Amino acid sequence: MTENAHQQPSAPPTELPTQYAPADVEGPLYERWVERGYFEADAKSEKPPYTIVIPPPNVTGSLHLGHAFEHTLIDALTRRKRMQGFETLWQPGMDHAGIATQNVVERELGKEGKSRHDLGREAFVERVWQWKGESGGQISGQMRRLGDGVAWSRERFTMDEGLSQAVQTIFKRLYDDELIYRAERIINWCPRCLTAISDIEVEYQDDDGELVSMKYGEGDDTIVVATTRAETMLGDTAVAVHPDDERYKHLVGKEIRLPLTDRSIPVVADTHVDPEFGTGAVKVTPAHDPNDFEIGQRHNLPSLTIMDEHAVITAHGPFQGLDRLEARSAIVAALRAEGRIVAEKRPYSHSVGHCSRCKTTIEPRLSMQWWVKVGPLAKAAGDAVRDGRVKIHPQEMEKRYFDWVDNLHDWCISRQLWWGHRIPVWYGPNGEVVCVGPDDEAPTGEGWRQDTDVLDTWFSSGLWPFSTLGWPEQTESLAKFYPNSVLVTGYDILFFWVARMMMFGLYAMDGTPPFHTIALHGMVRDQFGKKMSKSFGNAVNPLDWMDKYGSDALRFTLARGANPGVDVPIGEDWVQGSRNFANKIWNATRFALMNGATVDGPLPDASKLSATDRWILSRLNSVVAEVDALYEDYQFAKLSDALFHFAWDEVFDWYVELSKTTFMAGGEPAKVSGRVLGEVLDVTLKLLHPIVPFVTETLWTTLTGGESVVVAEWPTDSGFRDAAAEKEIESLQSVITEVRRFRADQGLQPGQRVPARLTLDGTALAPHEAAIRQLLRLQPEGEDFSATATLPVAGATVALDLSGTIDVAAERKRLAKDLAAAEKEKAQAAAKLGNEAFLAKAPDNVVDKIRGRLAKADEDIARIQSQLERLPQA
């Protein structure tokens, strides 16, 4: 344990209000922390660095439960490290979110009856910047509500001048190293957003469509293929079969007629085809399917683009000008009229990709785009984990990481948008291509033009750990705070964001990975484990819960559910329970202050401490050690649970209660216990602070007179342990718990006083008689005392006189009735479990339920029989 930092022990404590009101406390406290600069980080400091970057939220976003969860974990880590004496940087900022932001502003323009084309590119981009200044970034204010201890003076935006320079720099370097190239490939195309989109921006869901089997060719040269996208047959340039498929060997190399067109197409043999699936023959449309594109490359097939960017048919013929879905129906009808439909299955449920922004069905499309050659970059990203330079936590997530980086395809980085980092490539009038770095002059003159595309948002966010620190300049911040200590993020973006940061960090920073540890967490779900969604009606606005229960309550609930890599269920009842915990901390500290709890002076020597005092100090040090170990292993749920039970059960329900008799007696023992209680609260509030910062700040500053718990010294394990005292208090707890249980079984009210004789001689419990009597409401035995119930516990004996307290005859009658019911339940359950015919037919869950009923009946019988034995004779 430690001395209190920044405190004035002699200052008198401020009186606490009778009730804790989070709404009155949280806002002013947070602004005070920011004004005092507690969250800022000094690159010149000689303290060891501890760095975490915020996964940059979209500028269009607002705080949702996923943010609140992730931010709570990061804030807990950084607050603890700050208290431990590290120069701590939690780097804030936002992502420009290309498609999402452009869509928002285009919708605003739509309300005015305009499109971005009415404004032109330059004016539209200016309009987006205007929107960003006025409406973007509301999440920053919401982060303050949650208590995020970020270095606000360092806030960055992926489109700010410095980060834009970083983007242009790394593009130029990759281009010069031939790791960026331009090529025509199949991409995910959104006909609504009119751009290529990344894999992460595609949401797959099962849609009802139709599976149509149709006949190509004539006579003996016919072959049947099946498709869910009949319209793409206009772009077929082959039919593929497996080389070993005897059914089609006579057709391989031949040309067959493609229906509804004036073309013939070849039959090719390719090992990609599964002869066991369907007819064993597949249509090949290289310009509109990624697998077909690969087949086309292997067999030098032409690629015919038959749709424009709006997914309207452009192929010459009767279907030209039709939308893809209109064309689908028309083509099936035309094939049916020619007798070429062999089978139709509808509805046919299959997985279909949709744009995550506008929900439009994605169209695979051959397109000229910019690509990153990821092979060498991905290998470096895999090696950094394999050789231990980067740890993934939990370790079992490593396999998913390797499965991804070891099988990465080249990355399409161009987007057909206006909002984003413009690709720094110029084309000349004679076919020249010039890539321009931030220090280069762009070519000018007639016929020169810049590429119209912008970069994928993930390209700039992949630079986040070092671009936010000033790279490519060799700044003091970059030298101090790179690499990051840990990345805390969801496993859902392990592949998309984390892998890109690994590739770019290792490339740009001479083989130094962007972080030492990747700590992965799960997704927040509702209390039944279901994904939260507006469409499901179970989405929760975390601000509502913070308004109702306080930010600490939400934070503690989220942390208490945070097992590494595992999804987190959360319900409002749990947040309410955490609010009750905050109230318990408040009330217990208030009681302690009213009864002389203090942090003045050193702790008394162990020889002056009671067994109760030694017990709580021993337990306190154990909890400090346990919490530290759990923090280092990112076990937020376990450390939160350990703190909850220590604070509520051991400190508030046991130590405070056991000390009441000492406080009432006064004198030197009361002063000693007051100092011990002050120490325990001081350390407990510090341990709780990273997770519940607001209530602990108010209580700690009141208790200690210190400046702020934010900059107080983190507790350390002093090594003090007292096994004898712990065993003694465990015995005391056993006596009190057992007698309380007996009283409850007999129907006695908690405050009802009962005459009792305590036989404690020869046990370690002798000094605790006053506390036992106080806590159990046991009054001294009188002259007419008659022991009607005797309870031997922990080597002691508690004899109770219940005469006149309960109606023994009525109680025996009630218990006999309960016993008969329990025995009947046991007999019924046992009979079912003994019935072989029943066991053979019943589902496992039903059998397990009956076994549970039998076990419960056995427990009830034993409990009731014990109660009957303890009752006095009527």
Side-chain angles (χ1 to χ4, degrees):
M1 291 168 287
T2 64
E3 295 298 320
N4 300 304
H6 303 276
Q7 72 180 47
Q8 306 153 8
S10 59
T14 304
E15 186 176 344
L16 289 170
T18 55
Q19 289 185 322
Y20 177 50
D24 297 338
V25 169
E26 294 174 352
L29 266 188
Y30 187 83
E31 292 310 313
R32 191 183 313 155
W33 292 334
V34 173
E35 288 167 8
R36 292 179 177 179
Y38 292 154
F39 305 139
E40 296 303 324
D42 182 5
K44 292 180 168 45
S45 168
E46 294 184 0
K47 297 178 182 178
Y50 186 80
T51 317
I52 297 181
V53 293
I54 193 172
N58 287 352
V59 67
T60 58
S62 59
L63 191 75
H64 56 62
L65 270 178
H67 290 129
F69 172 56
E70 187 167 77
H71 290 198
T72 294
L73 304 187
I74 299 175
D75 199 38
L77 290 173
T78 52
R79 284 179 182 269
R80 172 174 173 262
K81 286 296 183 180
R82 190 178 294 112
M83 295 171 74
Q84 286 183 314
F86 286 77
E87 193 62 34
T88 302
L89 170 60
W90 182 8
Q91 173 66 54
M94 285 184 292
D95 191 285
H96 66 278
I99 293 178
T101 307
Q102 181 157 318
N103 280 349
V104 167
V105 178
E106 286 197 80
R107 282 197 297 270
E108 293 296 314
L109 283 174
K111 296 175 184 176
E112 302 171 14
K114 298 178 182 177
S115 75
R116 61 182 163 117
H117 300 285
D118 294 322
L119 272 65
R121 183 169 194 143
E122 188 174 335
F124 176 77
V125 170
E126 182 59 36
R127 179 71 176 259
V128 180
W129 277 109
Q130 180 185 339
W131 175 88
K132 190 260 180 187
E134 295 173 356
S135 306
Q138 63 171 312
I139 196 171
S140 296
Q142 296 165 347
M143 287 165 59
R144 293 170 181 263
R145 282 286 314 277
L146 189 65
D148 286 4
V150 300
W152 287 113
S153 69
R154 292 172 171 266
E155 187 174 14
R156 303 304 298 269
F157 180 54
T158 49
M159 288 279 286
D160 69 29
E161 184 177 352
L163 268 64
S164 295
Q165 182 186 23
V167 167
Q168 195 172 353
T169 299
I170 201 163
F171 187 100
K172 170 69 170 171
R173 291 188 187 178
L174 288 164
Y175 181 86
D176 289 346
D177 287 344
E178 298 183 348
L179 293 172
I180 281 183
Y181 63 94
R182 192 168 183 245
E184 200 173 34
R185 299 276 185 84
I186 292 284
I187 44 88
N188 302 308
W189 181 264
C190 176
R192 157 62 183 79
C193 299
L194 299 179
T195 181
I197 65 174
S198 65
D199 292 338
I200 196 174
E201 292 163 321
V202 180
E203 293 180 348
Y204 288 91
Q205 65 185 50
D206 287 339
D207 287 356
D208 281 341
E210 60 179 347
L211 180 66
V212 179
S213 298
M214 47 198 182
K215 184 169 58 177
Y216 287 7
E218 306 290 348
D220 293 337
D221 292 345
T222 60
I223 196 166
V224 176
V225 297
T227 182
T228 58
R229 301 163 65 217
E231 69 281 7
T232 62
M233 60 90 60
L234 299 176
D236 286 359
T237 57
V239 170
V241 298
H242 194 276
D244 299 331
D245 196 330
E246 294 293 337
R247 294 171 295 176
Y248 303 117
K249 279 199 170 180
H250 69 289
L251 288 177
V252 174
K254 283 190 175 183
E255 299 251 336
I256 60 173
R257 179 175 170 250
L258 180 65
L260 308 182
T261 72
D262 58 359
R263 293 190 292 116
S264 292
I265 58 176
V267 177
V268 299
D270 196 281
T271 54
H272 170 76
V273 180
D274 180 1
E276 303 298 323
F277 183 77
T279 63
V282 297
K283 57 192 289 299
V284 182
T285 320
H288 294 277
D289 183 274
N291 293 322
D292 293 3
F293 178 79
E294 299 294 335
I295 294 175
Q297 293 288 296
R298 287 193 288 272
H299 297 277
N300 296 314
L301 300 173
S303 295
L304 302 181
T305 299
I306 53 114
M307 284 182 234
D308 66 12
E309 59 187 9
H310 298 279
V312 172
I313 300 298
T314 56
H316 182 71
F319 311 106
Q320 188 175 14
L322 294 181
D323 170 78
R324 56 182 166 170
L325 298 182
E326 296 172 334
R328 185 175 300 170
S329 299
I331 286 170
V332 171
L335 289 169
R336 191 183 298 113
E338 287 193 5
R340 291 188 173 275
I341 299 296
V342 175
E344 295 178 74
K345 184 177 181 180
R346 66 169 67 88
Y348 178 73
S349 181
H350 61 124
S351 181
V352 177
H354 296 261
C355 174
S356 63
R357 302 298 176 190
C358 66
K359 310 309 177 188
T360 302
T361 300
I362 290 302
E363 189 64 43
R365 186 169 189 259
L366 186 63
S367 180
M368 182 67 76
Q369 301 286 344
W370 285 94
W371 304 82
V372 171
K373 185 186 293 182
V374 299
L377 302 174
K379 182 181 184 304
D383 290 346
V385 174
R386 286 189 170 95
D387 64 24
R389 281 176 289 158
V390 178
K391 305 288 186 186
I392 293 180
H393 192 277
Q395 191 174 2
E396 55 264 28
M397 286 287 182
E398 281 187 2
K399 182 180 184 303
R400 296 179 65 176
Y401 176 79
F402 292 135
D403 286 346
W404 180 257
V405 298
D406 292 347
N407 297 285
L408 268 179
H409 297 294
D410 285 0
W411 169 23
C412 176
I413 55 172
S414 46
R415 299 290 179 266
Q416 290 64 56
L417 302 171
W418 287 356
W419 173 244
H421 295 102
R422 189 98 172 253
I423 287 178
V425 172
W426 271 255
Y427 305 106
N430 299 309
E432 302 96 332
V433 179
V434 176
C435 181
V436 176
D439 299 324
D440 301 331
E441 289 289 333
T444 57
E446 187 177 349
W448 282 93
R449 59 184 178 83
Q450 186 178 358
D451 196 298
T452 57
D453 288 353
V454 300
L455 287 163
D456 179 12
T457 298
W458 295 102
F459 190 93
S460 52
S461 60
L463 314 181
W464 193 247
F466 51 93
S467 63
T468 52
L469 297 173
W471 187 91
E473 301 299 324
Q474 297 305 305
T475 64
E476 287 183 316
S477 290
L478 188 65
K480 178 73 174 179
F481 296 113
Y482 187 92
N484 292 185
S485 306
V486 60
L487 174 75
V488 179
T489 192
Y491 63 72
D492 57 317
I493 56 174
L494 171 65
F495 319 123
F496 305 103
W497 187 45
V498 179
R500 280 150 174 70
M501 285 191 290
M502 286 284 283
M503 290 191 295
F504 282 165
L506 288 158
Y507 174 80
M509 299 300 292
D510 300 320
T512 301
F515 16 73
H516 297 300
T517 301
I518 301 168
L520 298 170
H521 59 72
M523 312 296 291
V524 179
R525 297 182 178 271
D526 71 12
Q527 64 197 82
F528 305 107
K530 190 175 182 180
K531 180 181 178 181
M532 285 192 173
S533 165
K534 289 181 181 178
S535 60
F536 294 156
N538 63 349
V540 173
N541 183 345
L543 296 172
D544 293 340
W545 280 353
M546 286 193 280
D547 288 341
K548 195 170 182 180
Y549 303 111
S551 298
D552 284 334
L554 176 64
R555 289 171 61 115
F556 192 75
T557 304
L558 291 166
R560 205 173 177 194
N563 290 297
V566 178
D567 288 345
V568 183
I570 185 173
E572 186 169 359
D573 288 351
W574 305 341
V575 184
Q576 186 175 354
S578 295
R579 188 271 314 273
N580 295 344
F581 179 51
N583 288 341
K584 183 81 170 180
I585 302 170
W586 183 273
N587 293 333
T589 305
R590 188 168 176 271
F591 167 85
L593 288 169
M594 292 168 60
N595 285 275
T598 179
V599 295
D600 289 356
L603 276 171
D605 186 76
S607 62
K608 297 181 179 180
L609 301 177
S610 68
T612 308
D613 294 334
R614 297 196 307 276
W615 160 73
I616 197 63
L617 290 174
S618 181
R619 287 292 304 126
L620 179 66
N621 277 284
S622 295
V623 169
V624 169
E626 181 183 7
V627 167
D628 273 335
L630 292 170
Y631 259 117
E632 295 304 316
D633 198 34
Y634 304 100
Q635 297 282 356
F636 296 98
K638 290 181 179 178
L639 71 88
S640 299
D641 213 45
L643 285 170
F644 174 85
H645 288 294
F646 175 70
W648 191 305
D649 299 343
E650 297 185 80
V651 178
F652 305 147
D653 280 359
W654 283 110
Y655 182 72
V656 169
E657 291 298 318
L658 289 171
S659 300
K660 282 182 178 178
T661 52
T662 304
F663 289 134
M664 285 189 291
E668 187 62 24
K671 290 181 181 179
V672 170
S673 289
R675 179 63 188 92
V676 171
L677 180 53
E679 180 75 9
V680 170
L681 287 175
D682 172 23
V683 173
T684 302
L685 291 171
K686 287 176 181 175
L687 292 174
L688 284 165
H689 172 73
I691 299 173
V692 285
F694 294 107
V695 67
T696 51
E697 170 80 337
T698 306
L699 295 175
W700 187 85
T701 52
T702 303
L703 171 71
T704 68
E707 177 188 333
S708 171
V709 71
V710 177
V711 290
E713 190 175 343
W714 182 255
T716 55
D717 176 10
S718 71
F720 176 79
R721 300 289 191 279
D722 193 323
E726 289 195 36
K727 185 175 181 181
E728 182 175 326
I729 301 306
E730 285 173 10
S731 297
L732 176 60
Q733 290 171 329
S734 297
V735 170
I736 293 170
T737 300
E738 186 63 25
V739 176
R740 279 177 173 168
R741 184 182 295 118
F742 177 75
R743 287 176 56 111
D745 288 344
Q746 306 310 313
L748 297 177
Q749 295 301 313
Q752 190 172 352
R753 303 193 72 83
V754 178
R757 176 187 299 140
L758 305 184
T759 306
L760 307 176
D761 295 341
T763 74
L765 297 173
H768 301 286
E769 179 167 352
I772 293 172
R773 288 189 178 276
Q774 173 67 24
L775 293 175
L776 292 173
R777 303 295 188 269
L778 303 179
Q779 63 191 39
E781 57 186 292
E783 292 183 4
D784 57 349
F785 177 83
S786 175
T788 57
T790 302
L791 287 78
V793 190
T797 303
V798 180
L800 303 174
D801 183 355
L802 301 179
S803 58
T805 305
I806 60 172
D807 184 338
V808 176
E811 185 65 12
R812 281 190 172 278
K813 186 176 180 180
R814 181 186 71 81
L815 289 172
K817 184 178 179 182
D818 290 348
L819 181 61
E823 288 173 337
K824 181 180 179 181
E825 173 73 1
K826 176 180 179 178
Q828 290 175 341
K832 285 191 174 182
L833 293 173
N835 186 333
E836 294 295 335
F838 170 78
L839 293 176
K841 295 180 181 179
D844 290 345
N845 64 318
V846 172
V847 175
D848 288 343
K849 188 174 181 181
I850 294 172
R851 288 195 179 110
R853 282 171 49 193
L854 179 61
K856 175 68 166 54
D858 280 332
E859 290 175 8
D860 289 345
I861 290 168
R863 175 179 54 80
I864 296 167
Q865 287 176 338
S866 176
Q867 290 175 241
L868 283 167
E869 290 170 3
R870 290 175 173 178
L871 276 176
Q873 294 301 313

